[in-house]
């Protein structure tokens, strides 16, 4: 029995890590009041830069960091548009979902002799406890860290206040714009890490299919987890578990694999219907803040 | 000055500015890579307009985009973000294919039945999203994303099934020919047709090398119909009221939940229609294995956003979008610039569309400055 | 008056325009240290704008601000706070899902050197302030669970915690019971005893008389007068505020009450926040033809739930609501409207209007599905426009040619006229008016009151729900008091005085016990 479960759990953890990074990014951004639909694009760009820098430097950690920075760069665009220019946050996020993959594949062709895949990295990120990716551990630690920041420090208090009632925070001298900038850029950094975790730990190279929908799944996890770090973490584990089930049960003959593949997604909807119900977003989520508005 | 402010305030001006900015930035990237931006632009324009075939190819590519764009735009008007358009499109094509292969009626019955199957399937997927939102308050973005994947695997299930799989191919059989909506499909492979086309190069270029079909006309018709529905009918009135202020709509006795479900049904059915028209109108007239999304539905999001959620504008932004995608190939083949530059361009345009509120803002400032000077 | 350190604040020749609208035109004010100074003016006169400039939220186009004789550039609220100024806004700026303590500390957190919050140390400091001024409130309670009166205390504590010497209170009494107002005034006096200075923004004359020593009056952005409150009567203040003599009480003849047309029996409605509590408890009420029945009560005592239950937005757990003998509870809003009940909702912008639709489209919001505005699902804009033009003419909506513009662009008073016109055009048997004059200026208020009385005289039944006791007292033929979801008593207009009603609004218990906020 245990021997059946262990591989499933292993696969679950492996798939969960990139999702968790992305979801944490979503939590931070949306808690400060900026919707981030562009996680997918940021993850893709992070995945590419992670793999490319990892390949050229030979050091996966430098690659991992580069992935984060790449995500942060894209999110800075989102921040400028949605915070300084009061742009429509949904449109801006979607634009990044086009720019991120476009830029990745474009650069990939330029840097890797007109191919849409990078060369595999020589060194992947290390594994701990035998066969667990270190990104799994980092993801858990980061979840706890973000939770601590959000609920136990003054920055967290301010982030949450800005996402709920920016005018209240503003009248008390909290710089709404600065807090949101930091949160959105942090969100891009985390999403970029998520992408790099995919191409430097789960697989060893970037390809167009490396990030296909994980960003959106992460977004779903944010809502599913009610905008809390551990809620989102749990949601990611659940998604990953369902995915792991399909991978490990793939050999079973009586259910076609495609039907099995639908399982995680159907399961999510069923669970939402049964248990979660209405989820309440931060009050000012997606609402640009303009000084002097009453 | 006054005139300038007035022009700046028009929505079309902002959109055009966004388009120009998108091209400028793409040009800079191309230049940084060491290619000539002007040459690339030339190739793009040539790749779209230089042969009738190209123009018709663009129209063919644009048709489903216009429709998914209209679908997304319509949902936007009720305040719903139909990211599930992709899935609705896929199930539409699955249903159309399955029905089109299984049934064999004369065209006059076959075509409507196949298209209706697509519409119905899309509508069902739309209704699921709308119903879950209305009844349980589940965010339409989550259900939409989940159902996209369900649709993708459903498609692959059909492709791989014994019933429909074309042996040693990763695609299904084509639907029965009586369901084709390609114009003059039979005639152009008949003896008389071949004879006639041999003497008429221009026409043969269009008819033989592209799948000219009725889809584009249907797409325009649908866009106009949706515009009419939104602005001139009671359904549209309800949809707009619910979209702009559900609380006031509810208080005024307009059924918010009913409108959410109805909107998603209509939105989904338009995606289904787009898919069915593609199956009936263009080769391979069937499904193939999806390793990732084709993005017909997702691209509908961009089309709708660039069109500012106006169904009529979707016709133009859909054509623009289709032109960019199709013409982008010639940049790659002609110049060696990766065709992804097109996605970057479109993304950048969209990014500037998000900023379009800034343009009327500038107009206001101009107006204000004038007052202060006066 | 000279610039002197005897004054907590002196504002000189402040001018501010929003677009084309001149909000303040060279207004000055001098507030002596250790006094309570009232800012008097109608809605929209510019009182709040002036104070927002003092607090650094807006920037004056010209004019100077002196704090204790020193000129200060109020760049932002931080500068104001550093200069010992604190402001309690009319609409509280509190994060609803934060605790009292978190709201107070936000922006001036007590932390260790790593930025980690030290709640215990903070709460000790807070307790000291609470004890000093008698501002009792539970630091661990969430804002969404405490009464409005308590929330106001949190706002005052926020300013005191930041060391405010000068407190600006913007319309602080609007949401309080008469008893809570008395309590607030005593808190204000306690603050003065401890050396603080207070500016109170209000349009309520009685409270100025009860609380303040000095008073500055502004009208339509212009400075009118500054005077000592002692020895001046309310009528005179009112005249200075409005610029002409005003009737403080609406004109009306005695009601000709007809038969009971609207009847609520033993209604119970659940509290939306907690499932085990009731927001409306066993409530019974009758409204007759030709009378205005006013429901007095403090905000959050079940008025909202009562309206929502009648209009079909909320489920009734038990009990009946009958109009013309027909039960309408637990049906849809559409059915309620069809049964001749029309409602002027208190929240114009949220429930009453779709701001981005045109005036014409808003005018037919409830009837777009009916002839002549549509048939077979097609809208008939010629009919819609004709109907709207008539409405605009009849209710004197400005600007006159506004039927095609988004209703967002109309002023609050004109928006309200459209709503009232629309609802009256439904020819309802029962017209429900909830806070119908909220946020309107005096002219518009008079108009709304006149219209309601006219409808009454036509034999309609009118249910008026208002938080303004004066409005209830002057308009109603019958007065009911609601407290904690229960009707405390029903009286004829001339049978009771304001004090009795005030006491009942507070639950009839001892002074200061505030109601549970729903």
């Amino acid at each position: 029995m245990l021997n059946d479960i262990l591989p499933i759990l292993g696969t679950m953890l492996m798939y969960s890590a990139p999702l968790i990074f992305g979801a944490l990014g979503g939590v931070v951004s949306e808690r400060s009041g900026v919707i981030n639909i562009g996680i997918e694009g940021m993850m893709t760009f992070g995945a590419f830069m992670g793999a490319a820098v990892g390949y050229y430097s030979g050091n996966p950690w430098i690659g991992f960091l580069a992935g984060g920075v790449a995500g942060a760069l894209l999110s800075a665009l989102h921040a400028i548009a949605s915070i300084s220019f009061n742009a429509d946050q949904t449109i801006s996020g979607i634009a990044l979902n086009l720019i991120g993959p476009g830029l990745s594949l474009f650069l990939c062709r330029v840097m890797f002799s007109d191919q849409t895949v990078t060369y595999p990295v020589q060194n992947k990120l290390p594994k701990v406890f035998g066969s667990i990716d270190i990104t799994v551990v980092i993801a858990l630690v980061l979840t706890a860290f973000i939770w601590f920041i959000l609920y136990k420090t003054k920055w967290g208090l301010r982030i949450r206040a800005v996402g709920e009632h920016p005018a209240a925070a503003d009248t008390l001298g909290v710089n709404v714009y600065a807090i949101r900038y930091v949160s959105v850029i942090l969100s891009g950094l985390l999403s970029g890490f998520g992408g790099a975790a995919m191409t430097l730990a789960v697989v060893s190279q970037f390809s167009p299919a490396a990030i296909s929908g994980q960003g959106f799944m992460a977004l779903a996890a944010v809502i599913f987890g009610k905008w809390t770090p551990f809620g989102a973490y749990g949601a990611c584990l659940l998604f990953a578990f369902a995915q792991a089930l399909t991978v490990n049960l793939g050999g079973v003959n009586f259910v076609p694999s495609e039907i099995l593949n639908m399982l995680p997604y159907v399961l999510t909807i069923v669970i939402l219907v049964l248990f979660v119900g209405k989820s309440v977003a931060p009050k000012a989520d997606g609402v640009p803040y303009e000084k002097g508005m009453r | 000055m006054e005139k300038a402010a007035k022009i700046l305030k028009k929505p079309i001006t902002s959109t055009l500015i966004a388009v120009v900015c998108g091209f400028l930035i793409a040009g800079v990237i191309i230049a940084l890579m060491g290619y000539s931006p002007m040459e690339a632009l030339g190739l793009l324009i040539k790749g779209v307009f230089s042969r009738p075939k190209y123009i018709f190819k663009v129209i063919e590519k644009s048709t489903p985009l216009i429709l998914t764009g209209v679908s997304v735009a319509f949902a936007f008007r009720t305040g719903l973000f139909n990211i599930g358009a992709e899935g609705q499109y896929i199930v539409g094509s699955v249903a159309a294919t399955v029905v089109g292969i299984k049934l064999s009626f004369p065209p006059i019955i076959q075509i409507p039945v196949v298209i209706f199957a697509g519409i119905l399937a899309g509508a069902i997927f739309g209704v699921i999203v709308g119903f879950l939102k209305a009844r349980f308050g589940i965010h339409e973005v989550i259900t939409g994303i989940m159902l996209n994947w369900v649709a993708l695997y459903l498609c692959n299930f059909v492709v791989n099934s014994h019933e429909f799989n074309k042996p040693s191919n990763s695609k299904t059989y084509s639907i029965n020919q009586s369901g084709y909506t390609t114009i003059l499909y039979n005639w152009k492979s008949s003896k008389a047709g071949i004879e006639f086309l041999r003497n008429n190069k221009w026409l043969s270029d269009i008819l033989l090398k592209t799948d000219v079909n009725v889809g584009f006309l249907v797409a325009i018709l649908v866009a106009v119909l949706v515009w009419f529905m939104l602005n001139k009918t009671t359904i549209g009135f309800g949809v707009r009221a619910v979209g702009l202020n559900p609380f006031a709509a509810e208080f005024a006795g307009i059924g918010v939940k009913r409108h959410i479900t109805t909107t998603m049904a209509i939105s989904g059915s338009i995606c289904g229609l787009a898919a069915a028209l593609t199956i009936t109108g263009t080769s391979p007239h069937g499904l193939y294995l999806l390793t990732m999304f084709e993005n017909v539905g997702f691209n509908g999001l961009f089309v709708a956003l660039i069109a500012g959620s106006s169904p009529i504008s979707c016709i133009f932004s859909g054509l623009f979008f289709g032109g960019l995608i199709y013409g982008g190939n010639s940049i790659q083949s002609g110049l060696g610039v990766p065709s992804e530059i097109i996605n970057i361009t479109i993304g950048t345009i969209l990014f500037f569309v998000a900023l379009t509120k800034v343009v009327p803002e500038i107009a206001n400032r101009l107006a204000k400055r004038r007052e202060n000077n006066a | 008056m000279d610039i002197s350190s005897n004054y907590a604040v002196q504002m000189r020749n402040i001018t501010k325009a929003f677009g084309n609208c001149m909000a303040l035109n060279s207004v000055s004010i001098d507030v002596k240290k250790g006094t309570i100074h009232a800012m008097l003016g109608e809605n929209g006169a510019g009182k709040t704008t002036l104070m927002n400039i003092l607090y650094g939220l807006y920037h004056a186009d010209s004019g100077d601000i002196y704090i204790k004789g020193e000129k200060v550039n109020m760049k932002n609220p931080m500068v104001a706070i550093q200069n010992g100024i604190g402001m309690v806004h009319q609409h509280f700026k509190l994060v609803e899902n934060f605790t009292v303590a978190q709201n107070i500390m936000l922006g001036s957190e007590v932390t260790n050197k790593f930025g980690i919050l030290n709640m215990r140390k903070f709460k000790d400091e807070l307790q000291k302030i609470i004890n000093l001024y008698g501002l009792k409130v539970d630091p661990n309670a969430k804002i969404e669970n405490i009464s409005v009166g308590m929330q106001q205390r949190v706002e005052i504590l926020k300013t005191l915690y930041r060391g405010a010497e000068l407190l600006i209170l913007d319309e602080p009494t609007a949401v309080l019971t008469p008893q809570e107002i008395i309590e607030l005034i005593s808190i204000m006096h306690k603050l003065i005893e401890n050396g603080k200075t207070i500016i109170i923004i209000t349009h309520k004359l009685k409270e100025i008389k009860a609380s303040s020593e000095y008073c500055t009056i502004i009208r339509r952005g212009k400075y009118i007068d500054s005077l000592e409150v002692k020895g001046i009567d309310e009528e005179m203040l009112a005249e200075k505020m409005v610029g002409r003599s005003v009737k403080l009480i609406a004109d009306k003849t005695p009601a000709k009450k007809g038969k009971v047309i609207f009847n609520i029996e033993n209604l119970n409605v659940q509290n939306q926040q907690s499932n085990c509590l009731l927001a409306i408890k066993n409530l019974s009420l009758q409204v007759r033809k030709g009378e205005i029945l006013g429901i007095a009560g403090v905000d959050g005592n079940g008025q909202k739930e009562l309206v929502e239950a009648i209009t079909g937005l909320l489920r009734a757990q038990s009990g009946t609501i009958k109009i013309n003998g027909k039960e309408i509870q637990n049906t849809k809003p559409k059915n309620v409207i069809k049964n001749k009940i029309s409602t002027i909702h208190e929240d114009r912008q949220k429930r009453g209007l779709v701001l981005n639709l045109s005036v014409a489209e808003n005018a037919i919001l409830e009837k777009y599905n009916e002839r002549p505005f549509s048939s077979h699902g097609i809208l008939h804009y010629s009919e819609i426009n004709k109907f709207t033009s008539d409405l605009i003419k009849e209710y004197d909506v400005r600007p006159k040619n506004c039927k095609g513009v988004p209703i967002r662009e109309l002023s609050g008073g004109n928006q309200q006229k459209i709503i009232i016109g629309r609802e009256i055009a439904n020819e309802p048997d029962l017209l429900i008016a909830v806070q119908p004059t909220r946020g309107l200026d005096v002219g518009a208020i008079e108009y709304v009151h006149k219209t309601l009385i006219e409808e009454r005289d036509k034999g309609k039944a009118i249910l008026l729900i208002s938080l303004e006791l004066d409005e209830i007292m002057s308009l109603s033929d019958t007065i009911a008091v609601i407290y904690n979801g229960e009707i405390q008593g029903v009286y004829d207009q001339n049978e009771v005085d304001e004090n009795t009603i005030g006491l009942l609004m507070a639950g009839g218990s001892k002074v200061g016990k505030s109601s549970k906020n729903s």
Side-chain angles (χ1 to χ4, degrees), chain B residues 140-202:
Chain B
E140 75 271 14
V141 169
I142 299 195
T143 25
I145 291 170
M146 299 300 150
L147 287 179
N148 287 346
W149 290 97
V150 172
L152 181 127
Y153 288 115
L154 188 70
C155 170
N156 288 350
F157 172 69
V158 171
V159 172
N160 285 333
S161 65
H162 285 295
E163 294 279 329
F164 300 102
N165 183 263
K166 199 171 181 180
S168 71
N169 255 313
S170 55
K171 58 183 176 192
T172 61
Y173 292 108
S174 299
I175 61 168
N176 286 316
Q177 258 187 40
S178 60
Y180 286 13
T181 54
T182 321
I183 288 173
L184 303 174
Y185 184 83
N186 284 322
W187 177 80
K188 66 189 180 187
S189 50
S190 72
K191 236 182 182 164
I194 292 168
E195 192 63 29
F196 179 82
L197 288 172
R198 187 173 292 154
N199 299 322
N200 195 328
K201 267 212 130 156
W202 197 82

Side-chain angles (χ1 to χ4, degrees), chain A:
Chain A
M1 187 62 195
L2 199 63
N3 286 340
D4 292 332
I5 293 173
L6 272 181
I8 297 182
L9 290 183
T11 323
M12 169 185 86
L13 288 176
M14 182 177 87
Y15 280 123
S16 72
L19 283 182
I20 293 166
F21 284 109
L24 287 177
V27 169
V28 173
S29 170
E30 303 216 354
R31 263 310 172 87
S32 80
V34 181
I35 289 182
N36 191 351
I37 290 196
I39 296 176
E40 175 90 0
M42 298 173 193
M43 282 181 83
T44 311
F45 196 41
F48 165 72
M49 286 305 271
V53 173
Y55 170 79
Y56 280 113
S57 69
N59 183 333
W61 288 109
I62 296 179
F64 190 64
L65 224 55
V69 171
L73 278 177
L74 275 193
S75 69
L77 289 179
H78 185 52
I80 293 169
S82 49
I83 302 167
S84 296
F85 288 94
N86 300 329
D88 188 311
Q89 300 175 6
T90 307
I91 306 182
S92 158
I94 293 208
L96 289 185
N97 283 340
L98 211 54
I99 295 175
L103 212 54
S104 303
L105 289 171
F106 183 88
L107 292 175
C108 190
R109 283 188 202 266
V110 172
M111 290 161 75
F112 294 88
S113 52
D114 207 19
Q115 296 207 340
T116 56
V117 291
T118 63
Y119 305 134
V121 293
Q122 307 89 320
N123 304 307
K124 287 172 70 172
L125 288 170
K127 290 187 187 296
V128 288
F129 310 122
S131 61
I132 294 176
D133 289 325
I134 192 154
T135 47
V136 172
V137 181
I138 299 175
L140 180 60
V141 171
L142 270 178
T143 307
F145 179 68
I146 302 255
W147 172 83
F148 187 82
I149 293 278
L150 276 181
Y151 295 97
K152 295 291 164 191
T153 70
K154 68 173 187 182
W155 302 293
L157 192 72
R158 290 174 181 197
I159 291 174
R160 287 185 294 139
V162 160
E164 288 284 335
H165 198 330
D170 192 15
T171 50
L172 294 177
V174 173
N175 188 334
V176 177
Y177 301 111
I179 296 269
R180 286 190 169 175
Y181 259 98
V182 171
S183 302
V184 172
I185 291 175
L186 186 63
S187 138
L189 184 79
L190 288 165
S191 305
F193 282 154
M198 194 68 180
T199 50
L200 288 167
V202 180
V203 292
S204 58
Q205 66 193 135
F206 171 83
S207 67
I211 299 295
S212 54
Q214 281 90 340
F216 290 117
M217 293 298 282
L219 200 66
V222 172
I223 302 173
F224 199 174
K226 300 199 163 177
W227 288 268
T228 63
F230 279 107
Y233 184 86
C236 291
L237 280 192
L238 183 80
F239 294 157
F241 177 72
Q243 209 158 19
L245 268 187
T246 63
V247 171
N248 285 275
L249 298 180
V252 189
N253 283 328
F254 53 88
V255 189
S257 66
E258 294 89 359
I259 302 299
L260 214 52
N261 279 323
M262 291 180 196
L263 194 69
Y265 311 105
V266 176
L267 197 64
T268 305
I269 295 180
V270 171
I271 287 173
L272 279 171
V273 170
L274 291 181
F275 300 111
V276 180
K278 274 197 175 145
S279 32
V280 182
K283 275 218 184 78
D285 202 8
V287 186
Y289 180 62
E290 292 174 57
K291 260 186 192 292
M293 291 251 296
R294 271 183 267 186

Side-chain angles (χ1 to χ4, degrees), chain A residues 31 148 151-158 160-161 164-165 167-174 283 291-294, chain C residues 55 57-58 77-78 81 89 92-98 102-103 105-107 109 111 114-117 158 162:
Chain A
R31 263 310 172 87
F148 187 82
Y151 295 97
K152 295 291 164 191
T153 70
K154 68 173 187 182
W155 302 293
L157 192 72
R158 290 174 181 197
R160 287 185 294 139
E164 288 284 335
H165 198 330
D170 192 15
T171 50
L172 294 177
V174 173
K283 275 218 184 78
K291 260 186 192 292
M293 291 251 296
R294 271 183 267 186
Chain C
Y55 192 61
L57 281 170
Y58 297 157
M78 269 329 262
I81 292 169
H89 299 267
F92 300 152
K93 300 204 188 270
L94 295 169
V95 183
E96 293 239 310
N97 61 0
F98 276 20
Q102 285 173 330
N103 266 290
M105 84 181 326
L106 178 65
E109 298 86 352
T111 63
F114 302 111
I116 297 169
L117 300 172
K158 263 162 74 174
R162 284 165 179 74

